[in-house]
Amino acid sequence: MASYKQPCIECGGLIDRDARFCPKCGSTSPFILSCPACLREVSRSDKVCAGCGRPLMVTCPKCGGETFVGSKCGSCGASLLIP
């Protein structure tokens, strides 16, 4: 039986549609953007989560620019994850 694959929104790698993590880049949300606090689906244009009110824009520790909350800074590409 054929297994259809879908691109990860973070790296573009083709992965199984039922994957909960991207094995290529490690994204914990490979198909939708979700709020880190309540896991509600959000979009990059949202400033706050409609579900819990958490701000979705953060300051990058490397470049100091404002970026959408996620694993990497949208401007400089630095990791936003705390080791």
Side-chain angles (χ1 to χ4, degrees), residues 8 11-15 21-27:
C8 170
C11 71
L14 293 176
I15 58 176
F21 298 91
C22 178
K24 300 182 186 320
C25 71
S27 172

Side-chain angles (χ1 to χ4, degrees), residues 8-12 24-28 33 44 56-63 65-82:
C8 170
I9 61 171
E10 294 293 328
C11 71
K24 300 182 186 320
C25 71
S27 172
T28 57
L33 294 172
R44 289 196 190 278
L56 298 175
M57 300 302 284
V58 296
T59 302
C60 174
K62 184 171 183 182
C63 72
E66 188 176 55
T67 187
F68 185 80
V69 67
S71 59
K72 294 181 182 177
C73 174
S75 299
C76 71
S79 176
L80 298 175
L81 302 176
I82 299 170

